[in-house]
Amino acid sequence: MTHATPRPFRRPHFWDLFPLIWLIWMIYPIQAFAAQPRPLPHTLLFWGSLLAFSLVYARTFLLDRPDDRWAYAGWLAGAGLWALGWWLYGPSSLSFLIYGASLIGWQRRGSVALLGAGINVLLMLVMIQVIHGELGDYLFTVFIPVAAYGNYAGYTSLAARRKLAQVQQEKERLAADAERERIARDLHDLLGHTLSVIVLKSELAGKLASVDPARAAEEIREVERISRGALQEVRSAVRGYRGSGFGAELARAKVALDAAGVKLEVMDSLPELPGMAEATAAMLLREAVTNIVRHAKASEVRVSLTRTPAGHTLIIHDNGIGGDAPEGTGLNSMRERLRAIGGTLERDGRQGTRLSAHFPAEERAAPTLAEGTLADRKVFS
């Protein structure tokens, strides 16, 4: 079986938009251009080129998958606007050399970033020399390599986080595949031979029913004994597949949330839960984390588990956009599971999403797959 490479998850937040703040420095070339009347062709050329450069700038930094080609395009556009601005309105166009340096830095090769920044420094020095600039103008060139290196460092940090998230997703996929293969192997080993024996003995009992009823009855009793043993083995296996408790599920939740860029905060220490309540709490946490990663666009999740006079209360609260959106089948299923053991599930969407699960001190008996359904008990009793 082949699997598509998982796409790294990128949750948009304030810092994704932060590079756009620096476009505010375009106020200087705009003021310089507007300082005196301009011919209509010059005005159209100025505003058109400014808009085109802004789009290239935004596209470079806001790409879901950063692309070096946009960095080169932005750098060339910055150099072009510097030259055009020098012709149209004078030295205030040097801002575009700094913009170009910041753009060429947004890539994976530091040597290319520094080379582009070096070229921009030379262009600025030429400009300063031509306009007979002062010492302060020369010191201004320091901002060019700083802008280039700062964005190069930001790019490499983002690339490292993305790679880590991709590796983590791949590890989780491989672990899930290995678990499925283990379950399939266990079930084959557990039931393959047993069911074959049951089929053979049932066929034998059918043949003996008319010629040797006593022997046929003995074979049927043997089928019953083997079936009871197989049922017990299946119950034990299913109990083993349930997981290793709420603590282990919390650890898996942290891995998933870290990969999604969501901070997990566990409030206080976690008391122990009784068996069925712990299994249900672990499943509720898994469902909540899945919803947060896929839909909530949250930046923080708080989990608390406290002991109350009536039992235990589990609270999962995220600051995402879930709000009062309709509940899916997952939460409806968890509500039914809690109700089956005498608990309740409440959902509050006024500030993010807050799930409050209340577990009773004494569990109500509830049929499970591991314990068999009513039909199972009728057949095998």
Side-chain angles (χ1 to χ4, degrees), residues 76-334:
L76 291 174
L81 275 181
W82 164 74
L84 177 64
W86 194 1
W87 171 58
L88 286 177
Y89 51 85
S92 294
S93 66
L94 61 83
S95 299
F96 292 103
L97 292 178
I98 300 179
Y99 279 128
S102 68
L103 287 164
I104 197 65
W106 193 250
Q107 60 164 300
R108 65 182 183 277
R109 287 174 289 190
S111 58
V112 176
L114 291 179
L115 176 61
I119 293 174
N120 281 20
V121 168
L122 291 177
L123 293 176
M124 183 175 285
L125 290 175
V126 169
M127 184 178 188
I128 294 173
Q129 187 67 26
V130 170
I131 65 175
H132 305 291
E134 300 178 352
L135 178 60
D137 297 323
Y138 287 98
L139 294 178
F140 198 69
T141 60
V142 174
F143 289 101
I144 290 181
V146 169
Y149 182 79
N151 280 338
Y152 167 70
Y155 180 95
T156 53
S157 176
L158 175 63
R161 293 197 303 272
R162 288 174 177 274
K163 186 175 182 180
L164 179 62
Q166 184 174 352
V167 169
Q168 182 59 45
Q169 288 182 346
E170 183 66 14
K171 287 172 61 178
E172 291 177 359
R173 183 186 68 80
L174 292 175
D177 288 346
E179 184 66 9
R180 281 194 292 267
E181 291 177 1
R182 182 180 75 87
I183 293 173
R185 185 172 57 251
D186 288 352
L187 290 177
H188 178 271
D189 295 342
L190 184 65
L191 297 177
H193 174 72
T194 302
L195 292 178
S196 298
V197 172
I198 290 175
V199 169
L200 291 174
K201 285 190 170 291
S202 298
E203 291 176 349
L204 179 59
K207 293 177 181 179
L208 294 174
S210 58
V211 296
D212 192 349
R215 175 74 185 279
E218 182 181 345
E219 293 296 337
I220 290 298
R221 285 192 294 271
E222 184 67 11
V223 167
E224 180 186 4
R225 185 190 65 78
I226 295 173
S227 299
R228 286 183 179 277
L231 179 60
Q232 186 60 41
E233 289 177 347
V234 169
R235 290 173 178 171
S236 299
V238 171
R239 280 195 293 269
Y241 295 145
R242 281 185 175 177
S244 48
F246 184 77
E249 189 60 43
L250 190 63
R252 285 189 287 267
K254 178 171 175 54
V255 171
L257 292 170
D258 285 346
V262 182
K263 178 184 177 183
L264 173 62
E265 184 176 357
V266 181
M267 314 300 291
D268 301 325
S269 58
L270 302 176
E272 292 187 4
L273 288 167
M276 187 58 67
E278 182 169 18
T280 306
M283 295 179 70
L284 175 60
L285 178 62
R286 184 184 307 174
E287 176 66 26
V289 169
T290 300
N291 289 339
I292 291 168
V293 170
R294 290 181 178 175
H295 311 297
K297 296 183 180 179
S299 62
E300 184 179 65
V301 179
R302 293 185 176 182
V303 176
S304 66
L305 179 62
T306 55
R307 184 178 286 108
T308 65
H312 293 83
T313 298
L314 170 64
I315 297 177
I316 306 170
H317 188 192
D318 69 77
N319 63 348
I321 61 173
D324 293 320
E327 294 185 4
T329 56
L331 282 180
N332 287 331
S333 174
M334 294 313 305

